[in-house]
Amino acid sequence: MEAITVKGMEQKAPVLTERQRNIRIWKRGIPLYLMLFPGLLYFIVFKYIPMAGIVIAFQQFDPFDGFLKSDWVGLDNFRRLFAEQDFLRLFSNTLLLSCLNLVLFFPAPIVLALLLNEARLVLFRKFIQTIVYVPHFLSWVIVVSLTILLFSVQEGGINKMLVNWGFSPLELLTDSQYFRWVYVSQSIWKEAGWSAVIFFAALASIDPTLYEAAVVDGASRWRQLWHITLPGLRTTIVILFILRVGYLMDTSFEHILLMQNPTNLQISDVFDTYVYRMGIVQGDFSYTTTVGLFKSVIGLSLILFVNRVAKKFGEEGVY
């Protein structure tokens, strides 16, 4: 044991047991645990405790009988779901909208962050960041209302201008072939700026000396982007992509419900709107819980698969 001299006297450092060391470490982390508690409480109350309700997917649930007295039906609700004549249509609509969002929306924040990162005028960059953040704070009700005000066939401002100029009006809200593109465009306009925040943070963590060394070596801006910026973002991109794939069977319920009308119902009807009709409107809670469980199983399977693929390519993954 190393001797410690204090005012001419020799003292030996106290030997702590493993239990004492653990207690000391725990006490040192108390402020962090207190900061973690509200978020942890949110997930426990609103995410984990409600999972007990999954049991009604295997019952013919009656709210008056409760969980304990409702009749068990086993996998009958799953058989009903897969035998439903609208199942394939709902599945394909949900998958197409989610894939379009994944292919078109997911890269948008990355591109936006890269473009603004290349801007040399700090005031200009901050001004554009503020402008693209604003739509995130608008509700889908406002976004859809603005779309209707602009593109309604009869009263839309843009369509009125087109008619005055001798052109045919754009039937974006009444022609079903435009629904998916309008849906994705609205999502990009509303959320791309806010989603870019995490990529701005990742860009700020890249060592600036790497760029200085690249300039000395004669690297162009494109080479710096390709060999420094993108590798610096790679881990963030992979993790967010894995998490996003887990939501492949989820769509923005409020967004789609507001955009739905009789002319586009055939391609806009997805699992989320189906659950609303069958569960909230018609009160078939067991069946709609089955639909939700089916979506969750697919989402979990996709996360596990994509995470494993990412690790095979040398990435960290989410676990």
Side-chain angles (χ1 to χ4, degrees):
M1 180 64 63
E2 183 181 354
I4 302 175
T5 303
V6 180
K7 294 183 179 180
M9 300 176 62
E10 289 189 353
Q11 295 181 353
K12 291 185 178 180
V15 179
L16 300 177
T17 65
E18 183 177 356
R19 182 172 179 273
Q20 290 174 324
R21 285 196 299 269
N22 291 336
I23 292 175
R24 179 174 292 184
I25 293 172
W26 183 83
K27 287 182 177 179
R28 194 177 301 166
I30 286 178
L32 298 177
Y33 299 143
L34 291 176
M35 292 175 62
L36 177 66
F37 180 74
L40 187 63
L41 184 64
Y42 166 81
F43 279 100
I44 291 174
V45 173
F46 294 104
K47 301 296 182 181
Y48 287 99
I49 292 179
M51 287 181 68
I54 291 175
V55 70
I56 70 175
F58 306 94
Q59 296 178 326
Q60 189 58 47
F61 179 70
D62 187 335
F64 297 101
D65 293 334
F67 296 105
L68 299 179
K69 295 183 180 180
S70 295
D71 295 332
W72 288 89
V73 295
L75 298 177
D76 286 355
N77 288 320
F78 291 91
R79 297 189 186 98
R80 175 186 169 187
L81 172 63
F82 298 135
E84 179 67 44
Q85 61 178 357
D86 289 331
F87 173 77
L88 290 178
R89 179 175 63 86
L90 294 168
F91 186 83
S92 61
N93 286 345
T94 303
L95 197 61
L96 278 172
L97 283 176
S98 296
C99 288
L100 276 176
N101 245 345
L102 189 65
V103 172
L104 299 178
F105 173 77
F106 182 78
I110 303 172
V111 174
L112 179 61
L114 292 174
L115 290 174
L116 291 180
N117 186 61
E118 293 299 318
R120 289 293 174 257
L121 294 176
V122 177
L123 289 178
F124 172 77
R125 184 168 66 230
K126 291 184 178 297
F127 173 75
I128 297 299
Q129 284 178 346
T130 303
I131 294 298
V132 297
Y133 289 166
V134 169
H136 168 76
F137 299 98
L138 302 178
S139 69
W140 280 117
V141 175
I142 296 176
V143 174
V144 174
S145 298
L146 288 173
T147 305
I148 294 173
L149 286 173
L150 291 174
F151 294 103
S152 175
V153 175
Q154 299 297 331
E155 300 295 334
I158 291 180
N159 277 332
K160 280 186 176 181
M161 291 172 56
L162 291 174
V163 171
N164 291 335
W165 293 342
F167 296 98
S168 300
L170 294 172
E171 299 183 3
L172 296 183
L173 304 178
T174 56
D175 192 336
S176 60
Q177 66 176 331
Y178 296 120
F179 172 80
R180 295 190 180 106
W181 305 108
V182 173
Y183 169 83
V184 175
S185 300
Q186 289 173 326
S187 299
I188 293 174
W189 180 79
K190 184 177 185 297
E191 298 294 345
W194 185 256
S195 300
V197 171
I198 191 168
F199 296 108
F200 287 130
L203 287 170
S205 67
I206 298 176
D207 189 353
T209 58
L210 295 175
Y211 293 101
E212 296 172 3
V215 171
V216 172
D217 290 339
S220 63
R221 298 285 286 275
W222 172 254
R223 288 292 182 183
Q224 293 176 42
L225 174 68
W226 187 256
H227 294 289
I228 299 175
T229 306
L230 288 179
L233 289 177
R234 185 174 60 193
T235 300
T236 304
I237 292 173
V238 170
I239 291 176
L240 291 179
F241 179 79
I242 293 172
L243 295 176
R244 183 66 188 84
V245 166
Y247 290 95
L248 201 63
M249 296 305 294
D250 286 330
T251 52
S252 178
F253 163 72
E254 182 184 4
H255 183 190
I256 292 182
L257 186 66
L258 292 168
M259 288 292 294
Q260 253 182 13
N261 58 57
T263 63
N264 62 30
L265 185 61
Q266 192 65 21
I267 67 168
S268 66
D269 199 18
V270 294
F271 280 124
D272 291 335
T273 54
Y274 181 69
V275 166
Y276 168 74
R277 288 199 311 275
M278 300 297 294
I280 304 299
V281 177
Q282 300 184 24
D284 196 344
F285 302 115
S286 292
Y287 179 56
T288 50
T289 301
T290 301
V291 178
L293 182 57
F294 167 72
K295 289 170 49 185
S296 299
V297 169
I298 291 182
L300 177 61
S301 302
L302 287 172
I303 285 182
L304 295 176
F305 172 73
V306 177
N307 188 77
R308 186 171 183 179
V309 171
K311 284 198 166 187
K312 283 187 175 293
F313 281 92
E315 300 297 333
E316 293 183 5
V318 294
Y319 64 90

